[in-house]
Every structure is written in C-alpha cells, then in structure tokens.
Amino acid sequence: MRSYVIFLIFVSCLFLASCKDECQEYSDFTCDQIEQAEYNVYFYFPNGNEYYIGETKGLESCGNMAWGYASEKNLSNNSDWSYICCMIAKGSDCYEKHR
C-alpha cells in the first residue's frame, strides 16, 4: 500500500510538471500574464542612447510603440536600433525585461 501511495505522488508530480507554462521556465509569470502585463517601453538608438517612450499594456503594444517610434525617427529600415519592454510588477518599474 505504501509503495502505491508513493507511486501516485510521483505520477502526480510528473503530471503537474508537464502542465507548467513554458514561459515559467524563464519567468515568474505565465505566457498569458506576460502578454497582458503593463510595460515601460525603452528605445535604444543605433548609437546606444536610451530613450523612454512611455507605458503601455501588453507585449504586442510595447513592440508596436517601439516600431512606431523608430518610424517617426526614420529608423524603421535601420536594423541597429532596439527596444526593451520592462514589465511593471511586484513594485518594480522593470521587474522583467521582454520583447
């Protein structure tokens, strides 16, 4: 009977591990939470200078803001610029960085 209980615990642990969201392998949050979070958007010019664009909700919106800003600055065809989406969470303005 004891070995049966140990077996059930083992199988339950395997099942729970397989249900884990793939984003939680590198984040404290699920993929859905990452997609829907609030973000501070930072733009990086080709020379490395950082510029704060603003705050937005959603990872897709963050990317759109960065691409829009690049377009405004006539950089959309230049591959040397970049951006970071800083997740606003747990009392931090940049708890995790995403793109």
Side-chain angles (χ1 to χ4, degrees):
M1 178 69 171
R2 183 171 182 228
S3 60
Y4 179 71
V5 171
I6 293 172
F7 174 75
L8 286 178
I9 292 171
F10 177 74
V11 170
S12 296
C13 289
L14 287 177
F15 175 74
L16 290 174
S18 68
C19 293
K20 188 174 181 179
D21 187 291
E22 72 238 22
C23 292
Q24 291 179 309
E25 293 177 13
Y26 62 85
S27 173
D28 287 346
F29 301 93
T30 66
C31 293
D32 286 340
Q33 290 171 319
I34 290 170
E35 288 296 327
Q36 298 303 315
E38 298 284 331
Y39 290 95
N40 284 312
V41 186
Y42 292 91
F43 185 89
Y44 295 89
F45 287 92
N47 65 5
N49 287 345
E50 176 185 83
Y51 181 76
Y52 175 72
I53 299 175
E55 186 177 320
T56 191
K57 181 176 179 166
L59 202 51
E60 183 176 349
S61 177
C62 176
N64 289 340
M65 280 182 72
W67 278 95
Y69 187 76
S71 180
E72 287 176 19
K73 300 298 178 186
N74 296 316
L75 293 171
S76 56
N77 292 328
N78 184 332
S79 62
D80 292 336
W81 64 272
S82 65
Y83 69 96
I84 291 291
C85 305
C86 279
M87 182 188 279
I88 302 167
K90 298 186 180 186
S92 174
D93 289 336
C94 194
Y95 186 78
E96 290 183 353
K97 295 177 181 179
H98 296 276
R99 266 194 218 179

XYZ file of all heavy atoms in Angstrom:
806
model
N 0.818 -1.194 0.000
C 0.000 0.000 0.000
C 0.863 1.259 0.000
O 0.570 2.215 -0.712
C -0.928 -0.036 1.230
C -1.795 1.166 1.379
S -3.034 1.194 0.085
C -4.054 2.473 0.604
N 1.938 1.248 0.783
C 2.811 2.417 0.866
C 3.453 2.707 -0.487
O 3.550 3.859 -0.907
C 3.875 2.200 1.929
C 4.751 3.394 2.108
C 5.655 3.249 3.313
N 6.427 4.460 3.448
C 7.719 4.483 3.640
N 8.391 3.358 3.740
N 8.344 5.626 3.750
N 3.886 1.682 -1.178
C 4.505 1.890 -2.488
C 3.484 2.420 -3.498
O 3.834 3.193 -4.393
C 5.145 0.601 -3.002
O 4.181 -0.406 -3.137
N 2.229 2.057 -3.357
C 1.181 2.564 -4.236
C 0.997 4.068 -4.021
O 0.867 4.839 -4.979
C -0.132 1.811 -3.978
C -1.287 2.294 -4.821
C -1.314 2.037 -6.196
C -2.324 3.032 -4.267
C -2.362 2.496 -6.978
C -3.374 3.484 -5.038
C -3.381 3.214 -6.396
O -4.415 3.680 -7.175
N 1.011 4.507 -2.767
C 0.867 5.932 -2.448
C 2.065 6.709 -2.994
O 1.908 7.776 -3.590
C 0.721 6.138 -0.918
C 0.795 7.610 -0.553
C -0.585 5.538 -0.428
N 3.254 6.178 -2.841
C 4.455 6.831 -3.374
C 4.365 6.922 -4.893
O 4.684 7.955 -5.480
C 5.726 6.081 -2.917
C 5.892 6.239 -1.408
C 6.953 6.598 -3.660
C 6.984 5.389 -0.808
N 3.895 5.873 -5.518
C 3.725 5.878 -6.972
C 2.738 6.968 -7.394
O 2.984 7.710 -8.348
C 3.251 4.500 -7.454
C 2.914 4.467 -8.920
C 3.917 4.452 -9.867
C 1.588 4.465 -9.338
C 3.611 4.440 -11.224
C 1.267 4.455 -10.675
C 2.290 4.438 -11.634
N 1.604 7.089 -6.696
C 0.608 8.116 -7.029
C 1.183 9.520 -6.853
O 0.925 10.405 -7.678
C -0.635 7.956 -6.167
C -1.550 6.784 -6.530
C -2.723 6.712 -5.554
C -2.060 6.910 -7.953
N 1.951 9.721 -5.817
C 2.586 11.031 -5.611
C 3.553 11.322 -6.747
O 3.569 12.430 -7.290
C 3.292 11.077 -4.235
C 2.249 11.046 -3.116
C 4.183 12.314 -4.121
C 2.829 10.870 -1.735
N 4.341 10.347 -7.139
C 5.301 10.507 -8.225
C 4.592 10.853 -9.535
O 4.975 11.786 -10.239
C 6.132 9.225 -8.378
C 7.094 9.269 -9.520
C 8.247 10.032 -9.443
C 6.844 8.554 -10.680
C 9.137 10.080 -10.501
C 7.726 8.586 -11.746
C 8.876 9.350 -11.655
N 3.534 10.129 -9.864
C 2.787 10.375 -11.101
C 2.136 11.764 -11.059
O 2.132 12.488 -12.051
C 1.733 9.271 -11.332
C 0.789 9.639 -12.460
C 2.418 7.948 -11.625
N 1.616 12.145 -9.908
C 1.010 13.478 -9.767
C 2.038 14.569 -10.002
O 1.756 15.568 -10.671
C 0.406 13.642 -8.380
O -0.648 12.734 -8.192
N 3.235 14.389 -9.464
C 4.297 15.376 -9.664
C 4.674 15.477 -11.138
O 4.890 16.572 -11.652
C 5.528 15.021 -8.838
S 5.278 15.259 -7.070
N 4.768 14.361 -11.821
C 5.074 14.390 -13.255
C 3.986 15.105 -14.032
O 4.254 15.902 -14.933
C 5.245 12.971 -13.796
C 6.514 12.232 -13.402
C 6.487 10.812 -13.949
C 7.727 12.972 -13.910
N 2.743 14.838 -13.693
C 1.623 15.474 -14.377
C 1.641 16.979 -14.157
O 1.486 17.756 -15.087
C 0.298 14.886 -13.889
C -0.898 15.577 -14.477
C -1.254 15.369 -15.803
C -1.648 16.457 -13.714
C -2.344 16.016 -16.353
C -2.744 17.109 -14.254
C -3.085 16.876 -15.586
N 1.853 17.421 -12.929
C 1.873 18.846 -12.633
C 3.037 19.543 -13.330
O 2.896 20.655 -13.831
C 1.938 19.078 -11.123
C 0.678 18.711 -10.357
C 0.912 18.844 -8.857
C -0.493 19.572 -10.794
N 4.172 18.886 -13.406
C 5.326 19.481 -14.085
C 5.058 19.638 -15.575
O 5.478 20.603 -16.197
C 6.569 18.623 -13.854
N 4.344 18.707 -16.173
C 4.067 18.788 -17.605
C 3.028 19.852 -17.915
O 2.923 20.311 -19.043
C 3.609 17.429 -18.135
O 2.349 17.087 -17.607
N 2.265 20.281 -16.926
C 1.249 21.313 -17.129
C 1.815 22.716 -16.971
O 1.118 23.682 -17.216
C 0.110 21.130 -16.129
S -0.833 19.622 -16.393
N 3.056 22.832 -16.563
C 3.670 24.131 -16.337
C 3.766 24.901 -17.645
O 4.122 24.367 -18.677
C 5.061 23.941 -15.721
C 5.696 25.224 -15.276
C 6.996 24.941 -14.562
C 7.610 26.245 -14.085
N 8.850 26.022 -13.376
N 3.442 26.157 -17.594
C 3.504 27.063 -18.736
C 4.962 27.214 -19.182
O 5.847 27.405 -18.353
C 2.922 28.408 -18.287
C 2.761 29.381 -19.406
O 3.793 29.852 -19.916
O 1.619 29.689 -19.768
N 5.220 27.164 -20.485
C 6.604 27.222 -20.979
C 7.304 28.523 -20.629
O 8.520 28.561 -20.485
C 6.657 26.985 -22.488
C 6.124 28.132 -23.305
C 4.979 27.757 -24.209
O 4.296 26.758 -23.963
O 4.757 28.485 -25.171
N 6.572 29.617 -20.476
C 7.191 30.893 -20.123
C 7.724 30.879 -18.692
O 8.646 31.611 -18.360
C 6.204 32.044 -20.306
S 5.777 32.337 -22.032
N 7.159 30.041 -17.863
C 7.609 29.965 -16.478
C 8.962 29.275 -16.343
O 9.517 29.225 -15.260
C 6.547 29.290 -15.618
C 5.325 30.168 -15.474
C 4.239 29.530 -14.643
O 3.853 28.396 -14.887
N 3.769 30.260 -13.652
N 9.506 28.803 -17.453
C 10.872 28.273 -17.429
C 11.883 29.403 -17.272
O 12.983 29.194 -16.792
C 11.156 27.473 -18.697
C 10.354 26.207 -18.800
C 10.582 25.461 -20.100
O 11.545 25.785 -20.822
O 9.789 24.548 -20.391
N 11.526 30.629 -17.699
C 12.438 31.764 -17.605
C 11.820 32.979 -16.911
O 12.474 34.010 -16.762
C 12.920 32.182 -18.998
C 11.825 32.644 -19.931
C 11.384 33.953 -19.924
C 11.219 31.752 -20.817
C 10.379 34.381 -20.767
C 10.212 32.175 -21.663
C 9.805 33.485 -21.638
O 8.810 33.898 -22.477
N 10.559 32.869 -16.485
C 9.844 34.000 -15.910
C 9.066 33.569 -14.681
O 8.740 32.392 -14.525
C 8.877 34.574 -16.959
O 8.048 35.568 -16.398
N 8.732 34.537 -13.850
C 7.845 34.280 -12.708
C 6.385 34.250 -13.134
O 5.507 33.989 -12.322
C 8.016 35.374 -11.649
C 9.317 35.276 -10.890
O 9.981 34.221 -10.972
O 9.676 36.254 -10.210
N 6.116 34.538 -14.422
C 4.754 34.702 -14.909
C 4.441 33.727 -16.038
O 5.336 33.242 -16.713
C 4.548 36.144 -15.399
C 4.802 37.160 -14.329
C 6.054 37.736 -14.189
C 3.798 37.523 -13.445
C 6.301 38.667 -13.197
C 4.037 38.451 -12.447
C 5.291 39.026 -12.321
N 3.162 33.484 -16.246
C 2.722 32.643 -17.360
C 2.814 33.443 -18.658
O 2.935 34.677 -18.638
C 1.259 32.188 -17.171
O 0.409 33.339 -17.239
C 1.058 31.437 -15.864
N 2.712 32.767 -19.782
C 2.739 33.440 -21.085
C 1.594 34.445 -21.205
O 1.795 35.561 -21.702
C 2.672 32.422 -22.219
S 4.129 31.359 -22.344
N 0.411 34.074 -20.745
C -0.732 34.990 -20.797
C -0.482 36.235 -19.945
O -0.804 37.348 -20.354
C -2.015 34.305 -20.331
C -2.573 33.334 -21.362
O -2.219 33.456 -22.550
O -3.373 32.466 -20.968
N 0.088 36.045 -18.770
C 0.383 37.182 -17.906
C 1.431 38.095 -18.543
O 1.314 39.321 -18.469
C 0.864 36.708 -16.532
C -0.219 36.074 -15.701
C 0.318 35.418 -14.447
O 1.366 34.774 -14.476
N -0.397 35.580 -13.344
N 2.424 37.513 -19.178
C 3.459 38.297 -19.862
C 2.850 39.101 -20.998
O 3.142 40.284 -21.168
C 4.587 37.378 -20.371
C 5.398 36.836 -19.193
C 5.492 38.116 -21.368
C 6.378 35.749 -19.559
N 1.981 38.470 -21.762
C 1.348 39.157 -22.895
C 0.476 40.322 -22.454
O 0.389 41.323 -23.151
C 0.507 38.166 -23.708
C 1.317 37.186 -24.519
C 2.153 37.827 -25.609
O 1.737 38.852 -26.189
O 3.244 37.315 -25.867
N -0.167 40.220 -21.300
C -1.152 41.213 -20.873
C -0.646 42.199 -19.821
O -1.411 43.061 -19.377
C -2.400 40.502 -20.340
C -3.101 39.658 -21.377
C -3.495 40.475 -22.609
O -4.022 41.578 -22.506
N -3.214 39.936 -23.785
N 0.606 42.119 -19.431
C 1.139 42.968 -18.361
C 1.279 44.429 -18.800
O 1.176 44.756 -19.983
C 2.503 42.432 -17.924
N 1.517 45.286 -17.832
C 1.846 46.692 -18.074
C 3.362 46.778 -18.277
O 4.126 46.101 -17.585
C 1.436 47.557 -16.882
C -0.046 47.565 -16.590
C -0.833 48.429 -17.556
O -0.280 49.411 -18.073
O -2.008 48.106 -17.793
N 3.788 47.623 -19.227
C 5.205 47.747 -19.558
C 5.644 49.191 -19.696
O 4.892 50.032 -20.196
C 5.515 47.039 -20.885
C 5.432 45.548 -20.802
C 4.266 44.882 -21.166
C 6.500 44.791 -20.343
C 4.186 43.498 -21.081
C 6.415 43.413 -20.244
C 5.256 42.777 -20.618
O 5.173 41.423 -20.525
N 6.870 49.459 -19.270
C 7.581 50.677 -19.626
C 8.372 50.348 -20.884
O 9.029 49.299 -20.950
C 8.527 51.122 -18.512
C 7.773 51.749 -17.367
O 6.917 52.599 -17.563
N 8.078 51.321 -16.147
N 8.316 51.226 -21.874
C 8.950 50.954 -23.168
C 10.181 51.845 -23.315
O 10.087 53.075 -23.220
C 7.967 51.217 -24.331
C 8.587 50.802 -25.657
C 6.645 50.500 -24.094
N 11.313 51.206 -23.569
C 12.576 51.912 -23.767
C 13.096 51.640 -25.170
O 13.134 50.493 -25.618
C 13.619 51.472 -22.738
C 13.271 51.914 -21.338
C 12.522 51.105 -20.501
C 13.681 53.160 -20.877
C 12.188 51.515 -19.222
C 13.353 53.583 -19.593
C 12.613 52.755 -18.772
O 12.276 53.161 -17.512
N 13.504 52.698 -25.819
C 14.031 52.633 -27.186
C 15.534 52.887 -27.138
O 15.998 53.751 -26.389
C 13.352 53.712 -28.043
C 13.732 53.671 -29.485
C 13.012 52.882 -30.377
C 14.797 54.421 -29.969
C 13.354 52.846 -31.719
C 15.140 54.393 -31.303
C 14.425 53.601 -32.179
N 16.285 52.137 -27.937
C 17.735 52.299 -27.996
C 18.143 52.681 -29.410
O 17.930 51.923 -30.358
C 18.441 51.016 -27.552
C 18.174 50.704 -26.104
C 17.076 49.941 -25.731
C 18.994 51.223 -25.105
C 16.800 49.686 -24.396
C 18.729 50.970 -23.765
C 17.628 50.197 -23.420
O 17.356 49.953 -22.099
N 18.706 53.872 -29.523
C 19.172 54.371 -30.809
C 20.408 53.596 -31.261
O 21.081 52.951 -30.450
C 19.494 55.866 -30.705
C 18.283 56.734 -30.623
C 17.737 57.095 -29.396
C 17.663 57.188 -31.782
C 16.611 57.894 -29.322
C 16.536 57.996 -31.720
C 16.013 58.345 -30.489
N 20.723 53.671 -32.545
C 21.916 52.964 -33.053
C 23.207 53.324 -32.305
O 24.098 52.489 -32.172
C 21.989 53.390 -34.518
C 20.558 53.647 -34.884
C 19.950 54.262 -33.643
N 23.289 54.551 -31.772
C 24.494 54.946 -31.032
C 24.477 54.453 -29.578
O 25.392 54.726 -28.814
C 24.681 56.460 -31.072
C 23.589 57.222 -30.347
O 22.701 56.646 -29.713
N 23.627 58.541 -30.446
N 23.404 53.732 -29.184
C 23.310 53.170 -27.838
C 22.543 54.025 -26.847
O 22.280 53.586 -25.723
N 22.189 55.255 -27.224
C 21.430 56.110 -26.311
C 20.038 55.524 -26.067
O 19.380 55.063 -26.985
C 21.294 57.525 -26.880
C 22.595 58.297 -26.817
O 23.530 57.923 -26.116
N 22.674 59.386 -27.569
N 19.628 55.596 -24.811
C 18.322 55.078 -24.392
C 17.318 56.222 -24.319
O 17.640 57.321 -23.884
C 18.469 54.433 -23.009
C 17.177 53.933 -22.408
C 17.377 53.425 -20.996
O 17.383 54.269 -20.068
O 17.543 52.220 -20.821
N 16.079 55.937 -24.732
C 15.003 56.921 -24.644
C 13.741 56.217 -24.148
O 13.347 55.190 -24.701
C 14.743 57.566 -26.012
C 13.650 58.601 -25.982
C 13.886 59.858 -25.436
C 12.386 58.309 -26.459
C 12.873 60.815 -25.381
C 11.372 59.253 -26.418
C 11.627 60.500 -25.876
O 10.629 61.428 -25.812
N 13.135 56.791 -23.111
C 11.892 56.251 -22.573
C 10.737 56.724 -23.439
O 10.512 57.929 -23.581
C 11.705 56.704 -21.124
C 10.379 56.299 -20.520
C 10.135 54.973 -20.185
C 9.385 57.239 -20.281
C 8.923 54.593 -19.623
C 8.177 56.875 -19.713
C 7.947 55.553 -19.387
O 6.750 55.168 -18.839
N 9.999 55.785 -24.039
C 8.877 56.129 -24.913
C 7.599 56.341 -24.109
O 6.838 57.257 -24.369
C 8.637 55.026 -25.975
C 9.853 54.865 -26.857
C 7.414 55.353 -26.802
C 9.741 53.719 -27.834
N 7.346 55.457 -23.147
C 6.133 55.572 -22.358
C 5.701 54.237 -21.786
O 6.441 53.259 -21.812
N 4.469 54.192 -21.305
C 3.907 52.996 -20.674
C 2.768 52.472 -21.546
O 2.036 53.241 -22.158
C 3.377 53.361 -19.295
C 2.890 52.185 -18.484
C 2.430 52.597 -17.091
O 3.076 53.454 -16.469
O 1.404 52.061 -16.640
N 2.646 51.151 -21.574
C 1.579 50.540 -22.354
C 1.162 49.228 -21.718
O 1.862 48.690 -20.862
C 2.023 50.322 -23.821
O 0.894 49.972 -24.605
C 3.086 49.242 -23.926
N 0.035 48.719 -22.167
C -0.441 47.416 -21.698
C -0.290 46.414 -22.829
O -0.760 46.638 -23.940
C -1.908 47.486 -21.278
C -2.402 46.141 -20.778
C -3.812 46.195 -20.277
C -4.176 44.785 -19.838
N -5.361 44.726 -19.059
N 0.390 45.326 -22.535
C 0.540 44.241 -23.497
C 1.875 44.265 -24.210
O 2.386 45.320 -24.573
N 2.420 43.093 -24.387
C 3.720 42.946 -25.039
C 3.657 43.353 -26.508
O 4.566 44.001 -27.026
C 4.185 41.502 -24.892
C 5.664 41.223 -25.015
C 6.492 42.126 -24.129
C 5.944 39.772 -24.693
N 2.569 43.012 -27.177
C 2.425 43.396 -28.584
C 2.380 44.916 -28.731
O 3.012 45.491 -29.625
C 1.163 42.774 -29.185
C 1.002 43.078 -30.660
C -0.211 42.387 -31.277
O -0.826 41.512 -30.640
O -0.530 42.739 -32.424
N 1.667 45.560 -27.842
C 1.577 47.013 -27.867
C 2.942 47.653 -27.617
O 3.278 48.670 -28.225
C 0.570 47.501 -26.822
O 0.515 48.898 -26.787
N 3.730 47.046 -26.758
C 5.071 47.541 -26.484
C 5.909 47.528 -27.762
O 6.547 48.518 -28.112
C 5.729 46.688 -25.399
S 7.445 47.139 -25.070
N 5.896 46.408 -28.461
C 6.631 46.311 -29.723
C 6.129 47.298 -30.753
O 6.917 47.926 -31.474
N 4.812 47.463 -30.815
C 4.229 48.420 -31.764
C 4.660 49.844 -31.453
O 4.921 50.636 -32.368
C 2.708 48.318 -31.768
C 2.212 47.040 -32.401
O 2.923 46.380 -33.157
N 0.990 46.666 -32.085
N 4.729 50.173 -30.153
C 5.191 51.515 -29.775
C 6.629 51.736 -30.233
O 6.969 52.799 -30.754
C 5.111 51.715 -28.257
C 3.745 52.042 -27.736
S 3.733 52.315 -25.938
C 4.553 53.903 -25.820
N 7.473 50.742 -30.031
C 8.882 50.868 -30.424
C 9.012 51.008 -31.936
O 9.762 51.860 -32.425
C 9.675 49.669 -29.916
N 8.297 50.180 -32.682
C 8.350 50.268 -34.142
C 7.806 51.606 -34.635
O 8.342 52.200 -35.583
C 7.593 49.106 -34.782
C 8.429 47.875 -34.838
C 8.449 46.849 -33.939
C 9.395 47.552 -35.832
N 9.370 45.904 -34.319
C 9.967 46.312 -35.482
C 9.842 48.187 -36.994
C 10.964 45.696 -36.238
C 10.835 47.572 -37.751
C 11.374 46.351 -37.368
N 6.750 52.089 -34.000
C 6.192 53.385 -34.363
C 7.175 54.516 -34.103
O 7.328 55.432 -34.925
N 7.870 54.436 -32.981
C 8.860 55.464 -32.653
C 10.026 55.408 -33.645
O 10.503 56.450 -34.101
C 9.357 55.282 -31.218
C 10.252 56.400 -30.758
C 9.710 57.629 -30.398
C 11.628 56.235 -30.712
C 10.526 58.676 -29.986
C 12.456 57.269 -30.302
C 11.894 58.490 -29.947
O 12.705 59.525 -29.551
N 10.456 54.201 -33.986
C 11.527 54.050 -34.978
C 11.106 54.663 -36.304
O 11.904 55.333 -36.981
C 11.885 52.576 -35.152
N 9.860 54.459 -36.677
C 9.337 55.018 -37.922
C 9.328 56.546 -37.868
O 9.719 57.207 -38.838
C 7.936 54.476 -38.179
O 7.419 54.997 -39.380
N 8.888 57.103 -36.733
C 8.880 58.563 -36.564
C 10.275 59.156 -36.722
O 10.433 60.267 -37.217
C 8.362 58.943 -35.170
C 6.893 58.770 -34.956
C 6.499 59.077 -33.506
O 7.276 59.758 -32.787
O 5.425 58.612 -33.099
N 11.274 58.412 -36.283
C 12.661 58.878 -36.334
C 13.376 58.428 -37.611
O 14.587 58.544 -37.720
C 13.439 58.379 -35.103
C 12.866 58.867 -33.796
C 12.919 60.384 -33.726
C 12.305 60.908 -32.455
N 12.230 62.365 -32.431
N 12.589 57.911 -38.560
C 13.139 57.431 -39.845
C 14.209 56.353 -39.651
O 15.198 56.321 -40.364
C 13.687 58.590 -40.679
C 12.598 59.549 -41.084
O 11.510 59.137 -41.500
N 12.865 60.840 -40.945
N 13.970 55.485 -38.679
C 14.911 54.397 -38.390
C 14.326 53.019 -38.668
O 14.986 52.011 -38.444
C 15.348 54.455 -36.917
C 16.190 55.644 -36.498
C 16.346 55.668 -34.986
C 17.545 55.589 -37.181
N 13.088 52.953 -39.146
C 12.425 51.654 -39.284
C 13.155 50.731 -40.264
O 13.068 49.517 -40.139
C 10.964 51.823 -39.689
O 10.865 52.567 -40.875
N 13.902 51.282 -41.213
C 14.669 50.450 -42.154
C 16.090 50.174 -41.667
O 16.839 49.454 -42.310
C 14.720 51.103 -43.534
C 13.353 51.125 -44.189
O 12.543 50.223 -43.975
N 13.076 52.157 -44.969
N 16.438 50.750 -40.529
C 17.759 50.572 -39.939
C 17.673 49.460 -38.891
O 16.849 49.515 -37.991
C 18.206 51.894 -39.299
C 19.605 51.839 -38.746
O 20.081 50.785 -38.349
N 20.249 52.978 -38.704
N 18.519 48.485 -38.985
C 18.439 47.345 -38.057
C 19.261 47.553 -36.787
O 19.321 46.667 -35.947
C 18.905 46.067 -38.760
O 20.263 46.202 -39.145
N 19.867 48.722 -36.619
C 20.747 48.946 -35.474
C 20.034 49.454 -34.219
O 20.649 49.585 -33.190
C 21.864 49.929 -35.849
C 22.833 49.337 -36.857
O 22.929 48.093 -36.925
O 23.468 50.119 -37.581
N 18.763 49.762 -34.307
C 18.036 50.203 -33.123
C 17.430 48.998 -32.422
O 17.308 47.920 -32.996
C 16.952 51.228 -33.470
C 15.854 50.689 -34.339
C 15.833 50.660 -35.698
C 14.637 50.077 -33.904
N 14.665 50.084 -36.145
C 13.913 49.713 -35.066
C 14.077 49.810 -32.666
C 12.667 49.100 -35.003
C 12.847 49.192 -32.611
C 12.148 48.855 -33.771
N 17.044 49.175 -31.160
C 16.388 48.085 -30.428
C 15.463 48.677 -29.367
O 15.381 49.899 -29.210
C 17.424 47.165 -29.777
O 18.157 47.857 -28.796
N 14.795 47.816 -28.658
C 13.887 48.251 -27.599
C 13.787 47.175 -26.539
O 14.125 46.018 -26.764
C 12.499 48.580 -28.156
C 11.724 47.376 -28.640
C 10.801 46.737 -27.815
C 11.914 46.858 -29.917
C 10.093 45.633 -28.243
C 11.214 45.756 -30.363
C 10.303 45.150 -29.526
O 9.607 44.047 -29.953
N 13.327 47.592 -25.386
C 13.081 46.678 -24.273
C 11.718 47.015 -23.675
O 11.374 48.187 -23.517
C 14.166 46.821 -23.178
C 15.512 46.310 -23.663
C 13.769 46.095 -21.894
C 15.584 44.817 -23.873
N 10.977 45.983 -23.338
C 9.712 46.132 -22.632
C 9.966 45.743 -21.178
O 10.255 44.584 -20.894
C 8.652 45.220 -23.235
S 8.406 45.450 -25.011
N 9.918 46.721 -20.284
C 10.149 46.471 -18.863
C 8.813 46.233 -18.170
O 7.982 47.139 -18.066
C 10.845 47.664 -18.226
S 12.614 47.713 -18.480
N 8.617 45.012 -17.698
C 7.358 44.659 -17.033
C 7.241 45.385 -15.691
O 8.169 45.362 -14.882
C 7.282 43.157 -16.787
C 5.981 42.719 -16.132
S 5.983 40.991 -15.641
C 5.604 40.208 -17.197
N 6.101 46.016 -15.510
C 5.796 46.672 -14.247
C 5.101 45.638 -13.367
O 3.976 45.227 -13.652
C 4.893 47.899 -14.475
C 5.576 48.877 -15.425
C 4.534 48.556 -13.146
C 4.668 49.962 -15.954
N 5.795 45.191 -12.335
C 5.246 44.128 -11.480
C 5.935 44.124 -10.124
O 7.091 44.543 -10.001
C 5.435 42.768 -12.151
N 5.221 43.660 -9.145
C 5.750 43.435 -7.800
C 6.488 44.654 -7.256
O 7.554 44.542 -6.658
C 6.640 42.195 -7.780
C 5.880 40.926 -8.158
C 6.725 39.689 -8.004
C 5.915 38.457 -8.387
N 6.618 37.221 -8.121
N 5.938 45.848 -7.525
C 6.514 47.080 -7.002
C 7.715 47.609 -7.769
O 8.338 48.568 -7.348
N 8.036 47.005 -8.903
C 9.196 47.427 -9.681
C 8.754 48.003 -11.040
O 7.816 47.521 -11.651
C 10.109 46.229 -9.938
O 11.164 46.584 -10.817
N 9.464 49.019 -11.489
C 9.219 49.602 -12.814
C 9.829 48.751 -13.927
O 9.561 48.978 -15.099
C 9.790 51.012 -12.908
C 9.008 52.007 -12.077
O 7.814 51.750 -11.805
O 9.571 53.046 -11.707
N 10.674 47.800 -13.549
C 11.306 46.914 -14.549
C 11.623 45.566 -13.908
O 12.780 45.193 -13.757
C 12.559 47.560 -15.121
S 13.152 46.733 -16.630
N 10.562 44.848 -13.541
C 10.735 43.567 -12.862
C 11.356 42.515 -13.780
O 12.233 41.763 -13.381
C 9.391 43.069 -12.318
C 9.520 41.824 -11.471
C 9.955 41.915 -10.163
C 9.214 40.566 -11.986
C 10.097 40.793 -9.371
C 9.354 39.438 -11.202
C 9.795 39.551 -9.901
O 9.944 38.430 -9.133
N 10.889 42.469 -15.017
C 11.441 41.566 -16.038
C 11.500 42.318 -17.358
O 10.660 43.180 -17.644
C 10.551 40.332 -16.243
C 10.552 39.369 -15.107
C 9.706 38.119 -15.407
O 9.013 38.069 -16.437
O 9.758 37.203 -14.590
N 12.493 41.971 -18.181
C 12.620 42.566 -19.498
C 12.152 41.570 -20.544
O 12.509 40.395 -20.498
C 14.063 42.952 -19.779
C 14.551 44.048 -18.862
C 16.004 44.376 -19.108
C 16.465 45.468 -18.159
N 17.876 45.786 -18.361
N 11.336 42.080 -21.476
C 10.783 41.239 -22.547
C 10.848 41.983 -23.863
O 11.081 43.178 -23.915
C 9.322 40.855 -22.243
C 9.170 40.015 -21.036
N 9.326 38.650 -21.064
C 8.873 40.345 -19.754
C 9.129 38.178 -19.853
N 8.868 39.170 -19.032
N 10.605 41.239 -24.948
C 10.494 41.840 -26.290
C 9.383 41.189 -27.035
O 9.032 40.100 -26.867
C 11.770 41.611 -27.081
C 12.680 42.775 -26.944
C 13.753 42.725 -27.948
N 14.905 43.206 -27.210
C 16.080 43.319 -27.692
N 16.329 42.961 -28.887
N 17.053 43.785 -26.986
